[in-house]
Amino acid sequence: MKHTLMFFVQLFFLYAIYQVSNYIVRFLDIPLPASVLGMILLYILLRNGTVQLRYIEVAASFLLKHLSLFFIPIAIGLMDYGGLIKTSGIQLFVMIAASSFIGLFVTGGFTQFLSTKKVQKEENYHEQSHSH
């Protein structure tokens, strides 16, 4: 019983953070989804110690475990676009695949570039410190 109550209190707390972020987005007319702002607020609260992980851990673990269920409405919504997928499905697939690969290659290349720069910087630092 205590575990169930704790779960619902934590779930209500996460929902309250979402509602606060929803209010902030509407009040300040921020072009950002309230859920994203809610995650940012939660991160800030966790990072500065205002909220401890144990205050949300049970409910957050449950939500993460069942995350795939939240995507079912999106998949069902795609059924409304059957005609579009039938006529332009190949083009859509090619665009999605190409943009995914481009994103992966750009991210991978940038990461390799930065890690190479870091290694070179560390090597230069060690060379300079040994020459003195």
Side-chain angles (χ1 to χ4, degrees), residues 66-132:
H66 296 88
L67 186 63
S68 62
L69 294 176
F70 298 120
F71 292 103
I72 290 174
I74 295 169
I76 292 172
L78 284 175
M79 291 179 185
D80 290 338
Y81 297 100
L84 177 65
I85 293 172
K86 194 180 237 182
T87 59
S88 304
I90 293 174
Q91 292 95 338
L92 290 170
F93 176 76
V94 168
M95 287 189 300
I96 291 169
S99 64
S100 296
F101 284 120
I102 290 169
L104 285 171
F105 285 123
V106 168
T107 303
F110 190 67
T111 302
Q112 285 182 335
F113 171 76
L114 289 177
S115 67
T116 303
K117 283 284 201 189
K118 183 179 178 184
V119 168
Q120 289 174 351
K121 190 174 181 180
E122 289 174 353
E123 287 174 355
N124 289 341
Y125 175 76
H126 289 300
E127 287 176 8
Q128 289 175 358
S129 64
H130 288 301
S131 65
H132 290 284

Side-chain angles (χ1 to χ4, degrees), residues 38-54:
M39 287 190 292
I40 293 168
L41 289 175
L42 183 60
Y43 174 77
I44 291 169
L45 293 172
L46 286 166
R47 187 74 179 156
N48 71 16
T50 304
V51 174
Q52 295 180 8
L53 183 59
R54 62 187 172 99

